[in-house]
Amino acid sequence: MATPDVRKGEAPPPHDRATFSRRFREAFFDPAFDVERAAIDRLEAIAWQAYEQGNKAPRTRKAGPGFADPDYDLSVEWYEAREKLRQAQARWADPATPSRVLLVSSAARNDGSCPGEISKTWRLAKIAEAVLAASGLEVDLLDLSLVTSDYRRQIHPCKGCVSTAQPLCHWPCSCYPNHATAQIGDWMNEIYERWVAAHGVLLVTPVHWYQVSSPLKLMMDRLVCADGGNPDPTLTKGKDPAKAKEVELAGWDYPKHLAGRAYGVVVHGDVAGIEGVEYALCGWLDWMGLVDAGAKSRLERYIGYYEPYATSHEALDRDTAVQEEVRNVARSLAEAVGLLRAGRLSRPDATLPVPRPK
């Protein structure tokens, strides 16, 4: 089969100098920067040159042994991220490593941002954290609300490389940072490492318009590289779409880089959408090869059903049943992690051939 064409014609032309200048200077709107306008002018000139040249990865190194093309110039930042994942995977596989759970609080609300109040998601995550810690597990609490309150904390969106060809989607993601376009400061390299190091994962999320929260969806989309992603960018000469199509069509094994971890899910809402969100999250985690921790590890509940938002924390205070159900999710996950690591729990279909790999 001939390699399919690479379709072009959507992206607009690069910005002109005036547009680039306006966008660059948006970061220096505060009058406090006025005393350094000359320095800002010099920095803008450097940034413009990098933009014109498309200087995505200004620091590179030879790939070296273990890559298809050892002489290929890899981004230093990507290479360092990859090494951290390899080390995290080795710790995960080591029987002497203490069992670890990644607990993800997925709300966008916290009291350090405009809402001025903590989320119910955070409270439920802290309930689960106490149970997991009491079970003897190390708990890594990932608070995704920091993208709304922390300085330059961000998760950039997925660019959809996998839809061009699976091998174009690198593990870990190599789309960021892109220094030419100032797409920097991406949180995902740290988050990838935290997922890899975990023996279990517990997601706690509110429902936003029949869907998961925005920070959780950003993280989910960027984890696409964990499901079938290419750990060797030299195979595709970096981001060469034609080469990536050729590699995929020659045969690709779609490696599941996070398979074998246990999971639990807590979804809460106030009006509608909890069942769909719980179904979508569990389907996603199942697809990636994670192992559910049993029926009591998957929870969807309304808290303060059709009651005012202003009293939602009081509604959670009263709902001691849902608090105990969250504890049961954590207990189920703790048990599953122990069984998985002891070799007494596995996916029954793990060894079946896949007629439609993807």
Side-chain angles (χ1 to χ4, degrees):
M1 182 178 183
T3 302
D5 294 336
V6 176
R7 311 300 173 94
K8 300 284 189 179
E10 178 180 358
H15 295 308
D16 59 29
R17 187 72 169 83
T19 302
F20 179 88
S21 177
R22 175 173 54 80
R23 293 199 175 187
F24 179 85
R25 292 172 184 272
E26 287 173 352
F28 307 103
F29 176 78
D30 190 325
F33 288 107
D34 287 348
V35 296
E36 295 294 346
R37 288 302 160 192
I40 292 170
D41 290 343
R42 293 192 295 272
L43 290 174
E44 183 198 334
I46 296 170
W48 169 250
Q49 184 179 36
Y51 176 74
E52 275 196 308
Q53 295 174 352
N55 202 357
K56 176 184 176 181
R59 297 180 188 271
T60 61
R61 53 156 290 161
K62 297 300 181 183
F67 289 91
D69 182 358
D71 199 46
Y72 185 83
D73 292 324
L74 281 176
S75 161
V76 166
E77 290 164 299
W78 181 87
Y79 185 87
E80 291 175 349
R82 178 247 196 189
E83 287 305 297
K84 289 181 179 178
L85 295 198
R86 286 163 58 90
Q87 293 165 15
Q89 181 70 21
R91 293 194 301 271
W92 174 83
D94 184 352
T97 301
S99 293
R100 184 180 184 87
V101 168
L102 177 64
L103 173 57
V104 185
S105 178
S106 305
R109 177 167 64 132
N110 71 39
D111 53 330
S113 185
C114 308
E117 184 177 48
I118 63 174
S119 66
K120 294 184 293 298
T121 303
W122 173 255
R123 290 182 58 190
L124 296 174
K126 295 298 286 185
I127 289 171
E129 180 185 34
V131 173
L132 293 167
S135 300
L137 284 77
E138 291 185 353
V139 185
D140 178 12
L141 179 53
L142 173 59
D143 183 4
L144 293 181
S145 76
L146 294 181
V147 298
T148 70
S149 62
D150 202 9
Y151 180 71
R152 290 197 171 183
R153 176 83 67 178
Q154 55 195 323
I155 298 174
H156 289 296
C158 176
K159 295 182 178 180
C161 296
V162 66
S163 296
T164 292
Q166 179 73 74
L168 197 63
C169 181
H170 300 149
W171 170 251
C173 177
S174 67
C175 294
Y176 306 100
N178 185 329
H179 291 272
T181 54
Q183 294 173 333
I184 56 176
D186 183 52
W187 195 9
M188 280 306 300
N189 278 346
E190 176 190 325
I191 291 175
Y192 290 137
E193 183 181 2
R194 293 166 76 169
W195 272 79
V196 173
H199 299 96
V201 178
L202 175 50
L203 302 178
V204 186
T205 186
V207 174
H208 287 186
W209 288 118
Y210 293 85
Q211 301 291 338
V212 299
S213 67
S214 301
L216 177 54
K217 189 58 169 65
L218 283 168
M219 182 184 72
M220 290 172 65
D221 286 351
R222 291 291 303 286
L223 279 163
V224 66
C225 57
D227 188 75
N230 174 13
D232 185 354
T234 74
L235 285 171
T236 56
K237 305 302 179 186
K239 288 291 187 177
D240 183 335
K243 183 63 177 174
K245 289 174 182 282
E246 178 184 316
V247 171
E248 183 177 30
L249 292 175
W252 191 252
D253 60 355
Y254 302 93
K256 294 185 178 294
H257 299 288
L258 294 175
R261 289 147 178 88
Y263 78 82
V265 167
V266 173
V267 177
H268 67 92
D270 52 25
V271 174
I274 57 173
E275 296 90 349
V277 170
E278 187 262 348
Y279 177 82
L281 284 176
C282 292
W284 168 61
L285 293 163
D286 288 339
W287 184 282
M288 291 204 300
L290 278 75
V291 182
D292 80 81
K296 287 187 172 61
S297 70
R298 304 185 302 272
L299 178 69
E300 79 276 344
R301 287 292 182 267
Y302 291 112
I303 299 172
Y305 186 63
Y306 268 99
E307 295 179 12
Y309 295 113
T311 57
S312 63
H313 275 292
E314 285 73 17
L316 177 53
D317 290 340
R318 294 191 301 271
D319 198 339
T320 56
V322 78
Q323 295 176 37
E324 190 61 22
E325 287 173 317
V326 169
R327 292 187 183 96
N328 280 339
V329 171
R331 291 172 184 132
S332 297
L333 181 58
E335 180 72 12
V337 166
L339 292 173
L340 265 177
R341 299 199 73 195
R344 302 202 304 272
L345 176 65
S346 64
R347 292 178 54 199
D349 59 355
T351 60
L352 295 178
V354 180
R356 299 174 189 263
K358 193 171 183 181

